[in-house]
Amino acid sequence: MRGQRPGRKLFGMRVVTDRGQPATVGQAAIRLLVAAVLTALCRLSLLTMVGSRSTGASSPCATGRPRRLL
């Protein structure tokens, strides 16, 4: 499969550099790391929203007000 996931293989998609060359191992590792971090943040935000609904607190996403994290 040459490193392609089944969906990309099915649709003929490839991950390439801005010059059209195949991505290097380092680039692929960074891409995977970023995807993992973004997935974790999305799951965390979903858990936070579900938890705030059960306690009656409003979500900062719903109010549109910026929230300071630290």
Side-chain angles (χ1 to χ4, degrees):
M1 244 199 216
R2 305 178 87 176
Q4 289 178 313
R5 291 187 174 180
R8 288 193 186 101
K9 179 74 172 174
L10 178 68
F11 291 103
M13 296 170 63
R14 298 183 310 144
V15 177
V16 296
T17 65
D18 54 352
R19 295 183 180 153
Q21 300 170 339
T24 64
V25 173
Q27 290 169 327
I30 290 171
R31 187 174 183 271
L32 182 63
L33 179 65
V34 169
V37 168
L38 291 176
T39 299
L41 288 174
C42 286
R43 289 180 180 170
L44 181 64
S45 69
L46 285 175
L47 289 174
T48 303
M49 288 185 345
V50 168
S52 66
R53 284 187 182 181
S54 64
T55 61
S58 65
S59 167
C61 296
T63 62
R65 289 180 286 162
R67 182 175 162 189
R68 190 171 181 186
L69 297 178
L70 296 175

